[in-house]
Amino acid sequence: MTATTQPPRVSSPYITKRLMPKASARARPVLVSKTPRRPLPKPMARHHLLLQLLYLAVVLTAAHGSIDFRADLNHPYAGSSLSKYEFTTNAARASNARAARINARFARILGQGLPAVDVPLTPLADQGHSLTVGIGTPPQPRTLIVDTGSDLIWTQCQLLFRRTAARQRGEPPLYDPRRSSSFAFLPCSSRLCQEGQFSDKNCTRNRCLYDDVYGSAEADGVLASESFTFGVHTKVSLSLGFGCGALSAGSLVGASGIMGLSPGTMSLISQLSVPRFSYCLTPFADRTTSPLLFGAMADLHKNKTTGPIQTTSILRNPAMETAYYYVPLVGLSLGAKRLAVPEATLAIKPDGSGGTIVDSGSTISYLVEKAFKVLKKAVLKTVRLPVVNGTVEDYELCFALPSGVAMSSVKTPPLVLHFEGGAAMVLTKDNYFQEVRAGLMCLAVGSSPDDFGVSIIGNVQQQNMHVLFDVRSQKFSFAPTQCDSI
């Protein structure tokens, strides 16, 4: 991008009224720089015009209700010195902490609070893929963890640095709103402040202060609006409401904050009315980037798949507002055998507990206890290897491999997730087993409490699976895909 060319800015309808009170509620204004420019040489002017037309196409698409762009997700352990075995077990430990936090949140809502000792804290960066974005004007590059189970977009902020513990060496610099011309506090009357779901919220001097709990961390801050710049080949700047905050518990380790992609009010998806988005996670052990696609670019038919495209529904929790994408999981098979898991075991209960969510922030998957016991029994009958007694490396079922034999040489039948309407997600061995160290392979599925727990489809199960969330039509689609080819 040349110095004379700026990406288009598209304002979120959640903050447009405050920034531009005369604008139509339906029209998303495009901010145009009024800085005079010197005439360009003809070849450069032609190139400049092409870029302007390209950017205009992005803006016009956004103005008609769609944000179309691609971003690349960073692997949770990209650039880490940890071995494959070390980061695999670290991720499982963090995933268990996240599942415990999610279930603890449901337990509190249902009046079945868990003692704090049952909810461990681990670095958020161990749990999910991240995205490097530009925050502010001019953009300050920051890395945010992409989370389909989080609502708020937030980053650690220089504004609140005095309230945080001493920062460790090697942590990324804090975003500094004083260096941005587009930063502004959101008033207490703003929609995000009024409708956002927080653990705690109060207004001071017409500023919306909040405290919120994430998968395995807690943060507080103040709501504001800012320009976020996205894109790989084409850059686009979007005005979004976000949290200018600080961690009060837990850690991020290499990341600066969270990019919420949930169906909740404060997420990027809801603020910009994104009709659909998709991602395709490359194999966890590869540590390579993964594509994240928005709007018209999120189309499973545009990329070669290695299996059929299948679709089921996205469900809403009928009893409570949540930040999760529920899907109607109705059964399980191991190979050709359908397992004796009643459909009601996997369904959302009348009080809002239970059900199954698709979660990009969980590494491994979880089934409610009754379903997990059935799966565990079937796996024990199928895998003809010695069982390692007890929980090993935060896994609930592990097998000892023969001396000198890798997991890749072991044959296991596919694990099939059956959804309402006939869709079936077929998981190969690498999608439900992990080799956690030489000579040891473990089931990448854990258990959740029967009384209030939720079943979770994690990112190991989603690797080399192009998954699409059609938010407008409330449909969830998926297809086996070689993700590094997109």
Side-chain angles (χ1 to χ4, degrees):
M1 187 181 298
T2 64
T4 57
T5 309
Q6 296 294 326
R9 294 178 184 164
V10 182
S11 298
S12 162
Y14 285 69
I15 59 176
T16 295
K17 290 184 179 180
R18 186 183 65 80
L19 296 175
M20 297 186 177
K22 295 182 180 180
S24 165
R26 293 186 178 180
R28 292 190 181 127
V30 178
L31 306 182
V32 180
S33 173
K34 294 183 179 180
T35 305
R37 294 173 179 167
R38 289 176 295 178
L40 297 169
K42 285 187 177 181
M44 187 179 293
R46 188 179 298 110
H47 174 69
H48 180 69
L49 176 61
L50 289 173
L51 285 174
Q52 292 278 29
L53 290 173
L54 180 60
Y55 291 148
L56 181 61
V58 175
V59 174
L60 290 176
T61 301
H64 285 84
S66 179
I67 302 294
D68 306 330
F69 66 92
R70 170 186 172 142
D72 282 344
L73 296 173
N74 308 310
H75 188 277
Y77 293 93
S80 171
S81 61
L82 295 177
S83 70
K84 179 183 72 173
Y85 298 140
E86 288 172 328
F87 75 68
T88 297
T89 53
N90 274 17
R93 188 173 302 117
S95 186
N96 289 338
R98 178 182 175 86
R101 287 290 253 192
I102 291 173
N103 288 325
R105 180 179 296 178
F106 280 106
R108 283 194 299 270
I109 294 172
L110 298 169
Q112 303 180 43
L114 293 176
V117 70
D118 290 340
V119 186
L121 292 177
T122 57
L124 279 167
D126 283 347
Q127 300 170 25
H129 295 70
S130 62
L131 180 66
T132 301
V133 301
I135 305 176
T137 307
Q140 299 173 42
R142 296 295 179 268
T143 299
L144 306 181
I145 299 166
V146 172
D147 189 1
T148 58
S150 286
D151 195 359
L152 182 65
I153 302 165
W154 73 274
T155 187
Q156 294 197 88
C157 184
Q158 190 73 27
L159 191 68
L160 298 172
F161 78 101
R162 292 185 180 89
R163 297 168 59 187
T164 64
R167 294 177 58 74
Q168 297 180 6
R169 183 178 299 177
E171 288 190 356
L174 296 173
Y175 156 74
D176 188 352
R178 295 168 298 186
R179 293 172 47 202
S180 173
S181 62
S182 47
F183 174 86
F185 291 105
L186 284 179
C188 296
S189 59
S190 65
R191 185 175 175 185
L192 285 187
C193 186
Q194 293 292 316
E195 297 184 8
Q197 300 293 315
F198 301 97
S199 301
D200 188 37
K201 176 177 63 179
N202 69 79
C203 278
T204 302
R205 294 181 296 172
N206 200 29
R207 293 179 183 178
C208 191
L209 307 178
Y210 68 86
D211 184 87
D212 210 6
V213 175
Y214 296 89
S216 59
E218 187 172 353
D220 53 21
V222 59
L223 291 184
S225 67
E226 184 56 287
S227 175
F228 284 72
T229 302
F230 300 87
V232 177
H233 306 297
T234 302
K235 302 290 184 182
V236 57
S237 290
L238 309 169
S239 291
L240 293 167
F242 79 114
C244 184
L247 281 174
S248 53
S251 63
L252 290 169
V253 186
S256 301
I258 302 285
M259 174 61 68
L261 295 184
S262 81
T265 301
M266 300 180 291
S267 75
L268 179 145
I269 303 302
S270 296
Q271 287 195 54
L272 298 174
S273 300
V274 175
R276 61 188 182 186
F277 70 97
S278 71
Y279 56 78
C280 196
L281 302 181
T282 55
F284 195 70
D286 290 357
R287 295 199 238 198
T288 54
T289 60
S290 300
L292 172 65
L293 307 164
F294 292 90
M297 291 188 178
D299 187 343
L300 303 191
H301 295 88
K302 287 185 176 180
N303 299 285
K304 184 179 179 180
T305 65
T306 57
I309 297 172
Q310 300 185 69
T311 299
T312 189
S313 301
I314 293 175
L315 305 177
R316 296 188 68 86
N317 190 313
M320 63 180 78
E321 289 293 325
T322 73
Y324 306 115
Y325 291 100
Y326 287 86
V327 290
L329 182 65
V330 297
L332 305 169
S333 292
L334 191 60
K337 183 180 180 180
R338 185 74 174 244
L339 303 183
V341 177
E343 183 176 333
T345 304
L346 303 166
I348 305 174
K349 299 174 184 176
D351 64 1
S353 62
T356 303
I357 63 173
V358 181
D359 185 30
S360 67
S362 295
T363 302
I364 63 178
S365 286
Y366 300 86
L367 293 170
V368 288
E369 189 69 33
K370 289 179 182 177
F372 176 77
K373 286 180 177 178
V374 175
L375 174 62
K376 180 179 179 179
K377 184 178 179 180
V379 170
L380 285 169
K381 285 184 177 180
T382 303
V383 178
R384 304 293 186 180
L385 291 172
V387 176
V388 178
N389 293 327
T391 300
V392 177
E393 310 284 5
D394 291 290
Y395 293 87
E396 298 194 41
L397 177 61
C398 294
F399 297 92
L401 295 167
S403 178
V405 175
M407 190 183 83
S408 58
S409 300
V410 177
K411 293 184 178 180
T412 63
L415 173 62
V416 184
L417 309 183
H418 298 280
F419 297 96
E420 186 178 82
M425 183 181 286
V426 180
L427 304 177
T428 64
K429 176 181 58 190
D430 289 337
N431 288 93
Y432 73 102
F433 272 105
Q434 289 182 301
E435 188 169 3
V436 302
R437 66 171 181 251
L440 188 69
M441 75 178 216
C442 297
L443 182 67
V445 181
S447 61
S448 286
D450 274 328
D451 45 358
F452 55 81
V454 63
S455 296
I456 300 172
I457 300 175
N459 60 42
V460 168
Q461 285 65 40
Q462 298 175 60
Q463 64 185 358
N464 271 341
M465 188 78 65
H466 195 174
V467 297
L468 184 145
F469 300 80
D470 190 333
V471 182
R472 180 171 294 170
S473 301
Q474 290 294 283
K475 298 293 184 184
F476 174 67
S477 299
F478 54 89
T481 304
Q482 196 67 33
C483 293
D484 58 10
S485 67
I486 296 180

